[in-house]
Amino acid sequence: MAYKITDECISCGACAATCPVGAIAEGDKHYEIDEASCVECGACQAGCPVSAIEAP
């Protein structure tokens, strides 16, 4: 199961910049993580300035 970006996301892009596999892209409301590409490394969660990413 992949990490999940919540509605607390402010669309700053910090998570996308830290993802080593490019699994994060801007979505309709906020950034989204592609579950098939996510390797569950946690880099996105550590890089989020508003703690909007939940661990699997």
Side-chain angles (χ1 to χ4, degrees), residues 10-47:
I10 59 172
S11 296
C12 68
C15 58
T18 62
C19 182
V21 295
I24 303 174
E26 194 166 5
D28 291 334
K29 291 172 43 180
H30 52 70
Y31 276 76
E32 298 175 354
I33 299 174
D34 176 23
E35 291 186 24
S37 300
C38 178
V39 294
E40 299 177 19
C41 67
C44 60
Q45 188 178 41

